[in-house]
Amino acid sequence: MTATHNIICIGSVLWDVIGRAPNHLSVGSDVPGRITRLPGGVAMNIAMTLRRFGLVPALLSAIGEDEEGRELVATCTRMGMVTDYIYRSADLPTDRYMAVEGGNGLIAAIADAHSLEAAGAKILTALEDGRLGSAKAPYAGPIAIDGNLTEELLQEIAKSPLFANADLRIAPASPGKAERLQPLLGHQNGTLYVNLEEAGLMCLSTFETSRQAAEALMARGAHRVLVTNGGEDATMATPGTICCQTPPPVMVTRVTGAGDTFMAAHIAAELRGDSPDDALSAALKAAAVYVSGETPL
Ligand SMILES: Nc1ncnc2c1ncn2[C@@H]1O[C@H](COP(=O)(O)OP(=O)(O)O)[C@@H](O)[C@H]1O
Ligand SMILES: O=c1[nH]cc([C@@H]2O[C@H](COP(=O)(O)O)[C@@H](O)[C@H]2O)c(=O)[nH]1
């Protein structure tokens, strides 16, 4: 039986392959270390975080029918996600992301999302054929979407009647792909979640504060934005309103995943009916608890 989802996540669902060594690494290093494989891709990371807040995501992505794909889908199902609408292909291998981390931080990473890119609009079929929606009755719930999709597909989505009623929550995939999101910025129901660096990349500028960044994104036609800035003030802006709040001060023990936690907590707060101010506070509170390591991963 298909579990009932309350949000859709569209974008990369793949395996992260991460090599870690304690040494200082540089070009050409060849050192002993650990190599792990875990579910990743921005849409999947958001989906996993949404699960922590009690939401049930349905995934729209492309996953191969290879062994890696079968294991990935089984893992998503085990985590309580709805996998029935994923585009499965016998011709496309399951995508992968590979990163090398040394004692001196991330050395380099490569995102191979070729299958997602090749599948294109096929990943959206369930929003069209009546299973999740159709042109006559477009899906009217929340959708989290990542910037791993091709620019062409993001442009199509921005104009598509299939997305006209959706509550679109948009997240960039990586600094290099931030610009792909331009077409979705002005979507009538779009909310963009970015950190200060990503906001700068999207505006081809640099910002000192989240307020400045939010104002610049609004000036570029955004419908609604949330800009975070680590331990400094975060800002929510819509045409005519702007709201800045300071995150609770905490001892920081981890930062990877802080942005995903902020986004998922904010969506969860709004879905339960919190006011804009309360939703922003709730997201900052959840991110503070997360970065201070008080909850299990
Ligand atoms: N050093 C910090 N102190 C307190 N809160 C933090 C810190 N770093 C991150 N956070 C919390 O996580 C949120 C997102 O962090 P940020 O670093 O802006 O995003 P990302 O993880 O996308 O780079 C912040 O708005 C804040 O609530
Ligand atoms: O172009 C991309 N880069 C990175 C990711 C994903 O983002 C996460 C790593 O991001 P960060 O370095 O910001 O933690 C990984 O799970 C990886 O799969 C992605 O989907 N697409």
Side-chain angles (χ1 to χ4, degrees), residues 21 23-31 100-108:
N23 320 52
H24 181 109
L25 300 184
S26 53
V27 175
S29 293
D30 185 342
V31 295
V100 175
E101 296 174 11
N104 48 328
L106 176 70
I107 306 304

Side-chain angles (χ1 to χ4, degrees), residues 194-198 227-234 246-252 254-262 283-288 290-291:
V194 283
N195 63 26
L196 201 69
E197 185 201 356
E198 291 156 347
V227 184
T228 59
N229 182 18
E232 305 296 320
D233 282 11
T246 307
V250 285
M251 282 279 293
V252 176
R254 59 177 176 202
V255 288
T256 308
D260 288 343
T261 301
F262 174 89
L284 290 175
K285 223 175 272 167
Y290 176 82
V291 296

